[in-house]
Amino acid sequence: MAENGEEKLLAVARHIARTLGHNDDTMADDILQIFSNFDGRFSREKMTDDDPRPCAPLEHSLKSLHRQISQYVASDNPIWADSADSSAFLDSVDELISTIKDWSPMAGDKSINACLARADDLLQQSMFRLEDDFRSLMERGGDSFELCDSTTANLSFDDDDDDGNEDDSDDSDSNQIPVAQPVNDYDIIIDALPSVTVNDLNEIAKRMVSAGFGKECSHVYSSCRREFLEESMSRLGLQKLSIEEVQKMPWQEVEEQIDRWVKATNVALRILFPSERRLCDRVFFGFSSAADLSFMEVCRGSTIQLLNFADAIAIGSRSPERLFKVLDVFETLRDLMPEFEAVFSDQYCLLLRNEAVTIWKRLGEAIRGIFMELENLIRRDPAKAAVPGGGLHPITRYVMNYLRAACRSTQTLEQVFEKGSSSSLSVQMAWIMELLESNLEVKSKIYRDPALCSVFMMNNGRYIVQKVNDNELGSLLGDDWIRKHNAKVRQYHSNYQRSSWNKVFGVLKIDNIPSAPSGAAGARSLKEKLKLFYSYFDETCKTQSSWVVFDEKLREELKIAITKLLLPAYGNFIVKFQNSPDICKHPERLIKYTVEDVEVRIDELFQGTGASAGGKK
């Protein structure tokens, strides 16, 4: 190569001498003398050339380069199997690129231009061979490289990874693709190619980019690495699904796909894509534009696959039960947005970055839409059949458990409503509670018995307050809201007692009867009151024994309140009845219940067991 360089230098000097002194031999001789005095290599013997053509030195150089390069271009053996061959080939390519660059300013000469055309043809042959070798190194490097123990197993999310290691080791070599085993630890970079191979690839990339074949080099690199990345994504369990296919899937299957998507997206953004970014930067070191373009081409397909799935979730059904999985997707994109910004930071990836942000915002819109659909669900819930025994209505249980579960993601929901809504999350929750209460009030009107209407509202009101207490939902609604609704439950209690037991209690009033009534009229009045009491009492107990009070504490409070109201009055009435001389000789025969019997009957109230009015959950 040193000989070729000197020949090229002499050829250039001869060309300059001829050009400047082509009309004056004396000037040409003076120029040759100046070159000779400057450097001994420019002696008159060396500078004198029998071939007067300007292109002669270039032809001489090209013949030498063609002889050196053609043996490698035509060879069927891998050049990079021998480091000496690869170095010699690259030196020849460097010489060819430099020769073309040096002689290009003289392309106005027809003979030189013709030589340069042949040089370009030789360069193109060289590039084709480099491209083939680049591809071969990429493929062989990935197949032969042995990763360290922490990154050899297939990407998987199975909990029993250790149990499957032995089976994995039996796989045929043809199926082995080097991927990582990240599940919990994302602080991993995969070196998918050996350092020696990366260095060789960088040497080839330098020549191809310098020769103007950077896009071809990037294309070969991208096609090889894209296959690796897509295989890695597949091993994460992620299927290639179009938006339409996702929307047609049963929701249960979509939920499974979301779980896999969340894990795959974390692995991709935290491990696979950064690893590809690092590899691109190493292979195309010194050529940032080529590195950026190659990285975008490698990761674009997998990134679009991930984003399309998220978009399918965002534009899908607003059914309330989908909220929690949509939140998973939203939170995943939100948490990985710094990784998106860091990994896809160059100009070629701008569209991918923007698309990720757009879909993330669209998921926020979907979450707000789901809450609107929940509101519509409450409004549309029909007031047709009454819940047996005045128990919990299914809509109450559904909405309260739903809101409690939703409030486990309070911070996320606050972010969603603050950025895309005119109201805060607390206002949204209060509005839903108001809709629920209004709906329950309409439903309570189905009951003809005012007491049962109060029991229904008391049951549902108590359940609501219990579900709000001591959790994020209560924090959002506030202490004042809780106090207000506890007062409502107490009012329902009072309404129940007034509409149900005041009638029974009123029969026992003896304010207008003398303390020791005498005469047939007084005795008859006492007998009628006692008989009427038993009628009312039996009827009320029989009716309310099938009613439901789901909360044990509330049930006991009601029974205690009834007992305190009724037992003293009944006991006092019985004493006066027994002490009346005109009742009969054996007044105990007219007394159906003792005070203890009345208490037992009261204790048997609210024993309803209707399925739809069942216990608290």
Side-chain angles (χ1 to χ4, degrees), residues 11 28 55 66 112 135 187 205 208 380 405 456 464 469 519 554 563:
C55 65
H66 186 274
I112 293 177
R135 180 182 291 104
D187 189 18
M208 294 188 71
R380 293 193 301 259
F456 173 78
I464 289 171
N469 271 324
L554 178 60
T563 299

Side-chain angles (χ1 to χ4, degrees), residues 241-304:
L241 299 169
S242 67
I243 292 177
E244 293 75 16
E245 288 173 330
V246 174
Q247 292 181 332
K248 291 179 181 178
M249 290 175 66
W251 178 243
Q252 186 175 0
E253 293 181 21
V254 175
E255 287 181 310
E256 295 174 0
Q257 289 297 321
I258 288 176
D259 291 338
R260 290 186 174 276
W261 179 91
V262 168
K263 295 171 183 177
T265 304
N266 273 284
V267 172
L269 267 297
R270 295 180 176 180
I271 298 175
L272 294 179
F273 293 167
S275 297
E276 291 300 325
R277 177 77 259 185
R278 181 172 182 266
L279 183 60
C280 276
D281 291 341
R282 293 177 65 198
V283 171
F284 294 97
F285 180 74
F287 305 97
S288 59
S289 181
D292 293 343
L293 176 62
S294 299
F295 173 73
M296 185 274 291
E297 290 293 341
V298 170
C299 297
R300 179 175 56 183
S302 296
T303 304
I304 290 175

Side-chain angles (χ1 to χ4, degrees), residues 263-427:
K263 295 171 183 177
T265 304
N266 273 284
V267 172
L269 267 297
R270 295 180 176 180
I271 298 175
L272 294 179
F273 293 167
S275 297
E276 291 300 325
R277 177 77 259 185
R278 181 172 182 266
L279 183 60
C280 276
D281 291 341
R282 293 177 65 198
V283 171
F284 294 97
F285 180 74
F287 305 97
S288 59
S289 181
D292 293 343
L293 176 62
S294 299
F295 173 73
M296 185 274 291
E297 290 293 341
V298 170
C299 297
R300 179 175 56 183
S302 296
T303 304
I304 290 175
Q305 179 185 354
L306 293 172
L307 292 178
N308 278 350
F309 182 86
D311 200 22
I313 302 303
I315 64 178
S317 169
R318 298 291 193 264
S319 181
E321 67 268 13
R322 299 192 173 200
L323 171 67
F324 307 102
K325 286 300 181 181
V326 176
L327 280 170
D328 288 344
V329 178
F330 177 89
E331 290 173 343
T332 299
L333 277 185
R334 178 200 62 193
D335 296 343
L336 291 174
M337 205 55 67
E339 280 74 13
F340 259 105
E341 295 291 340
V343 174
F344 299 110
S345 58
D346 59 83
Q347 58 178 341
Y348 293 105
C349 295
L350 178 62
L351 290 177
L352 293 177
R353 289 201 311 274
N354 291 343
E355 185 67 9
V357 173
T358 298
I359 292 174
W360 176 56
K361 291 180 178 178
R362 198 172 292 153
L363 285 163
E365 294 172 3
I367 292 170
R368 292 189 293 273
I370 288 174
F371 274 91
M372 291 179 63
E373 186 58 31
L374 177 64
E375 296 172 14
N376 293 332
L377 183 148
I378 296 171
R379 290 190 188 97
R380 293 193 301 259
D381 193 62
K384 294 181 179 179
V387 175
L392 274 178
H393 197 282
I395 191 67
T396 305
R397 183 182 289 112
Y398 174 83
V399 172
M400 296 312 301
N401 286 327
Y402 185 94
L403 294 182
R404 276 178 64 97
C407 284
R408 294 169 189 160
S409 303
T410 295
Q411 291 184 345
T412 299
L413 291 174
E414 286 178 338
Q415 180 183 19
V416 168
F417 280 94
E418 285 173 4
K419 290 192 174 183
S421 176
S422 58
S423 64
S424 64
L425 178 61
S426 58
V427 171

Side-chain angles (χ1 to χ4, degrees), residues 70-95:
S70 60
Q71 63 176 323
Y72 296 112
V73 171
S75 175
D76 293 331
N77 298 322
I79 299 176
W80 262 257
D82 188 320
S83 59
D85 286 343
S86 61
S87 295
F89 181 50
L90 290 177
D91 287 344
S92 297
V93 172
D94 287 340
E95 183 73 18

